[in-house]
Amino acid sequence: MQVTMTVNGAEVTRDVEPRLLLVHFLRDTLGLTGTHWGCDTSNCGTCVVLVDGVPVKSCTALAAMTSGHEVRTVEGLADGAALDPVQQGFMEEHGLQCGFCTPGMMLTARALLDRNPDPDEAEIREAISGQICRCTGYATIVRAVRWAAAHPATEEVRA
Protein backbone atom coordinates (compact mmCIF):
# COMPACT_ATOMS: atom_id res chain seq x y z
CA MET A 1 0.00 0.00 0.00
CA GLN A 2 1.07 3.58 -0.49
CA VAL A 3 1.49 5.94 2.46
CA THR A 4 2.03 9.68 2.35
CA MET A 5 2.89 11.71 5.42
CA THR A 6 4.86 14.73 6.44
CA VAL A 7 8.02 13.75 8.32
CA ASN A 8 10.02 16.56 9.92
CA GLY A 9 8.40 19.07 7.58
CA ALA A 10 8.91 17.14 4.33
CA GLU A 11 6.20 15.17 2.57
CA VAL A 12 7.18 11.56 1.89
CA THR A 13 5.37 8.90 -0.12
CA ARG A 14 6.40 5.26 -0.06
CA ASP A 15 4.98 1.86 -0.85
CA VAL A 16 4.92 -0.25 2.33
CA GLU A 17 3.50 -3.49 3.60
CA PRO A 18 0.32 -2.82 5.60
CA ARG A 19 1.87 -4.45 8.69
CA LEU A 20 5.02 -2.27 8.71
CA LEU A 21 5.52 -0.61 12.08
CA LEU A 22 6.14 3.12 12.13
CA VAL A 23 9.48 2.64 13.93
CA HIS A 24 10.73 0.44 11.08
CA PHE A 25 9.36 2.82 8.44
CA LEU A 26 11.27 5.70 10.02
CA ARG A 27 14.50 3.79 10.64
CA ASP A 28 14.71 1.38 7.71
CA THR A 29 12.78 3.12 4.95
CA LEU A 30 13.62 6.76 5.69
CA GLY A 31 16.99 6.26 7.44
CA LEU A 32 15.93 8.30 10.50
CA THR A 33 17.78 6.20 13.06
CA GLY A 34 17.37 8.70 15.89
CA THR A 35 14.11 6.93 16.69
CA HIS A 36 15.28 4.05 18.84
CA TRP A 37 13.69 0.61 18.94
CA GLY A 38 13.71 -0.96 22.36
CA CYS A 39 11.17 -3.31 23.86
CA ASP A 40 8.71 -3.83 20.98
CA THR A 41 5.91 -3.95 23.57
CA SER A 42 5.16 -0.26 24.19
CA ASN A 43 6.72 -0.35 27.66
CA CYS A 44 10.04 1.50 27.40
CA GLY A 45 9.14 4.59 25.35
CA THR A 46 12.46 4.85 23.51
CA CYS A 47 10.58 4.84 20.20
CA VAL A 48 8.36 7.87 20.93
CA VAL A 49 7.77 10.24 18.03
CA LEU A 50 5.21 13.01 17.68
CA VAL A 51 2.21 12.41 15.43
CA ASP A 52 0.32 15.65 14.94
CA GLY A 53 2.13 16.91 18.05
CA VAL A 54 1.10 14.00 20.27
CA PRO A 55 3.65 11.50 21.65
CA VAL A 56 3.14 8.07 20.07
CA LYS A 57 5.11 4.88 20.69
CA SER A 58 6.13 4.04 17.15
CA CYS A 59 6.79 0.36 17.92
CA THR A 60 3.05 -0.21 18.25
CA ALA A 61 1.78 2.11 15.50
CA LEU A 62 1.59 1.07 11.89
CA ALA A 63 3.10 3.34 9.25
CA ALA A 64 -0.24 3.13 7.44
CA MET A 65 -1.96 4.65 10.49
CA THR A 66 0.10 7.83 10.11
CA SER A 67 -0.61 8.32 6.43
CA GLY A 68 -1.96 11.84 6.02
CA HIS A 69 -0.48 12.98 9.33
CA GLU A 70 2.54 14.96 10.47
CA VAL A 71 5.33 12.95 12.12
CA ARG A 72 8.19 14.57 13.99
CA THR A 73 11.28 12.63 15.02
CA VAL A 74 14.27 13.69 17.10
CA GLU A 75 15.98 14.69 13.86
CA GLY A 76 13.23 17.28 13.41
CA LEU A 77 13.81 19.06 16.72
CA ALA A 78 16.79 21.21 15.71
CA ASP A 79 16.35 24.00 13.23
CA GLY A 80 19.57 23.87 11.25
CA ALA A 81 22.38 24.59 13.70
CA ALA A 82 19.97 25.97 16.33
CA LEU A 83 19.10 23.32 18.87
CA ASP A 84 15.61 23.07 20.27
CA PRO A 85 15.57 24.29 23.90
CA VAL A 86 14.82 20.71 24.97
CA GLN A 87 18.00 19.49 23.27
CA GLN A 88 19.99 22.34 24.79
CA GLY A 89 18.46 21.62 28.20
CA PHE A 90 19.53 17.98 28.04
CA MET A 91 23.08 19.18 27.33
CA GLU A 92 23.08 21.89 30.00
CA GLU A 93 21.59 19.73 32.75
CA HIS A 94 23.21 16.40 31.77
CA GLY A 95 19.81 14.87 31.07
CA LEU A 96 21.27 11.77 29.52
CA GLN A 97 23.83 9.12 30.24
CA CYS A 98 23.73 6.22 27.81
CA GLY A 99 21.40 8.18 25.51
CA PHE A 100 19.13 5.30 24.53
CA CYS A 101 15.95 6.80 25.98
CA THR A 102 16.92 10.36 25.09
CA PRO A 103 15.16 10.81 21.71
CA GLY A 104 11.83 9.64 23.11
CA MET A 105 12.28 11.71 26.26
CA MET A 106 13.08 14.81 24.22
CA LEU A 107 10.03 14.44 22.01
CA THR A 108 7.78 13.82 25.00
CA ALA A 109 9.25 16.93 26.65
CA ARG A 110 8.69 18.98 23.48
CA ALA A 111 5.03 17.90 23.36
CA LEU A 112 4.62 18.80 27.04
CA LEU A 113 6.18 22.25 26.59
CA ASP A 114 4.08 22.90 23.48
CA ARG A 115 0.89 22.43 25.49
CA ASN A 116 2.19 23.72 28.85
CA PRO A 117 5.16 26.12 28.57
CA ASP A 118 5.81 26.18 32.32
CA PRO A 119 5.22 22.73 33.83
CA ASP A 120 6.12 21.99 37.43
CA GLU A 121 8.13 18.94 38.46
CA ALA A 122 5.06 16.78 39.03
CA GLU A 123 3.72 17.59 35.54
CA ILE A 124 7.07 16.77 33.96
CA ARG A 125 7.30 13.47 35.83
CA GLU A 126 3.76 12.58 34.80
CA ALA A 127 4.50 13.40 31.14
CA ILE A 128 7.58 11.15 31.05
CA SER A 129 6.05 8.40 33.18
CA GLY A 130 5.52 6.20 30.13
CA GLN A 131 9.24 6.05 29.44
CA ILE A 132 11.99 4.11 31.13
CA CYS A 133 15.45 5.50 31.82
CA ARG A 134 17.75 3.04 33.52
CA CYS A 135 20.66 5.46 33.95
CA THR A 136 19.70 8.87 35.28
CA GLY A 137 17.15 8.41 38.04
CA TYR A 138 15.11 11.05 36.15
CA ALA A 139 16.32 14.02 38.26
CA THR A 140 18.55 15.37 35.48
CA ILE A 141 15.83 14.81 32.89
CA VAL A 142 13.38 16.83 34.97
CA ARG A 143 16.00 19.58 35.34
CA ALA A 144 16.59 19.52 31.58
CA VAL A 145 12.90 20.05 30.86
CA ARG A 146 12.73 22.85 33.45
CA TRP A 147 15.78 24.46 31.77
CA ALA A 148 14.00 24.27 28.39
CA ALA A 149 10.88 25.83 29.90
CA ALA A 150 12.97 28.70 31.25
CA HIS A 151 14.73 29.21 27.89
CA PRO A 152 12.06 29.01 25.15
CA ALA A 153 13.25 29.39 21.58
CA THR A 154 12.74 32.79 20.06
CA GLU A 155 12.40 33.58 16.41
CA GLU A 156 15.81 35.28 16.52
CA VAL A 157 17.47 32.14 17.89
CA ARG A 158 15.67 29.93 15.36
CA ALA A 159 16.54 32.19 12.40
Side-chain angles (χ1 to χ4, degrees):
M1 72 179 300
Q2 190 174 77
V3 296
T4 300
M5 65 188 76
T6 302
V7 179
N8 298 330
E11 187 173 287
V12 296
T13 300
R14 299 288 190 283
D15 288 322
V16 300
E17 288 192 35
R19 67 179 182 213
L20 182 68
L21 293 172
L22 180 58
V23 68
H24 297 305
F25 177 75
L26 295 170
R27 290 180 60 80
D28 303 335
T29 304
L30 300 183
L32 297 171
T33 57
T35 302
H36 291 166
W37 178 37
C39 67
D40 221 10
T41 61
S42 188
N43 288 317
C44 72
T46 61
C47 66
V48 167
V49 298
L50 302 182
V51 178
D52 296 334
V54 177
V56 171
K57 293 180 179 179
S58 64
C59 75
T60 55
L62 299 173
M65 294 168 60
T66 58
S67 191
H69 295 275
E70 183 175 327
V71 177
R72 190 173 185 192
T73 70
V74 71
E75 290 92 346
L77 281 179
D79 186 11
L83 295 179
D84 184 275
V86 171
Q87 293 171 305
Q88 190 67 42
F90 270 70
M91 287 177 41
E92 298 293 333
E93 298 296 334
H94 310 286
L96 63 109
Q97 285 184 21
C98 81
F100 196 70
C101 72
T102 305
M105 288 283 189
M106 286 182 176
L107 287 161
T108 299
R110 170 51 39 221
L112 170 64
L113 294 174
D114 285 348
R115 73 174 187 275
N116 178 1
D118 190 27
D120 62 25
E121 182 175 339
E123 292 168 318
I124 295 168
R125 287 184 180 276
E126 181 180 339
I128 63 172
S129 67
Q131 295 170 274
I132 296 172
C133 176
R134 292 186 167 97
C135 301
T136 67
Y138 300 94
T140 55
I141 293 169
V142 171
R143 284 198 308 265
V145 178
R146 291 294 304 138
W147 188 97
H151 299 87
T154 63
E155 289 303 314
E156 295 157 7
V157 171
R158 291 242 180 228

